[in-house]
Amino acid sequence: MNLDLHILNVQEHAAQAEAANVLRLDNDADALEASLEGVERIELHFPKFTDGRAYSQAYLLRRRRGFRGEIRATGDVLIDQLVRMQRTGFSSAVLKEGKDAADAIRQFARFPEYYQADTAERHPRFARSAA
């Protein structure tokens, strides 16, 4: 699997916090209704690792809204969430303080391929095999 997810630490993210054209979307906001005009980066927050609403928001932004800019995960971002984040449309993630980016990269080697479709691969494995 290609590592298309850019992993940042808290300090790197803080240095980019005041970037222009950033939309911080609340967890209870409807991703289908948000105005994306001029937006280059959308930040979706994980208030705790068990709250997965941002996965759905990212997926909707990529697949239904066609958003091509950066979607960044912030908050309680743990290493074991990164593969799902990439598959649902995130392009970057800010690791929770104290987590090692090297450990995060190794996580992607554990899962080289998937049966299901996702935001990067629009066809399930059986359809790719038949083609």
Side-chain angles (χ1 to χ4, degrees):
M1 167 179 262
N2 293 333
L3 180 58
D4 295 329
L5 186 75
H6 182 70
I7 300 168
L8 299 104
N9 61 38
V10 173
Q11 294 78 19
E12 291 169 326
H13 174 65
Q16 300 173 5
E18 298 304 318
N21 303 323
V22 175
L23 172 63
R24 289 171 184 87
L25 202 56
D26 292 330
N27 289 93
D28 57 355
D30 186 349
L32 297 176
E33 299 295 324
S35 173
L36 303 179
E37 187 172 335
V39 173
E40 295 175 9
R41 182 173 81 212
I42 300 173
E43 293 182 1
L44 302 176
H45 188 70
F46 286 82
K48 53 187 174 180
F49 78 94
T50 58
D51 187 337
R53 292 176 287 179
Y55 293 120
S56 299
Q57 290 174 316
Y59 190 82
L60 290 171
L61 289 164
R62 290 283 186 224
R63 290 294 291 265
R64 302 225 2 233
R65 298 288 305 271
F67 183 71
R68 297 287 174 234
E70 180 182 0
I71 299 178
R72 181 175 291 181
T74 63
D76 195 12
V77 176
L78 303 176
I79 290 169
D80 60 342
Q81 296 171 291
L82 297 175
V83 172
R84 176 159 305 279
M85 286 178 182
Q86 180 176 322
R87 295 190 70 219
T88 56
F90 285 92
S91 49
S92 64
V94 181
L95 282 180
K96 185 176 179 178
E97 191 72 43
K99 301 301 175 192
D100 187 2
D103 291 336
I105 292 168
R106 283 192 295 275
Q107 185 72 4
F108 288 90
R110 301 173 117 196
F111 305 100
E113 189 172 21
Y114 300 94
Y115 289 107
Q116 307 91 348
D118 57 34
T119 58
E121 179 55 63
R122 293 189 176 258
H123 303 287
R125 178 74 172 104
F126 73 87
R128 294 189 307 264
S129 296

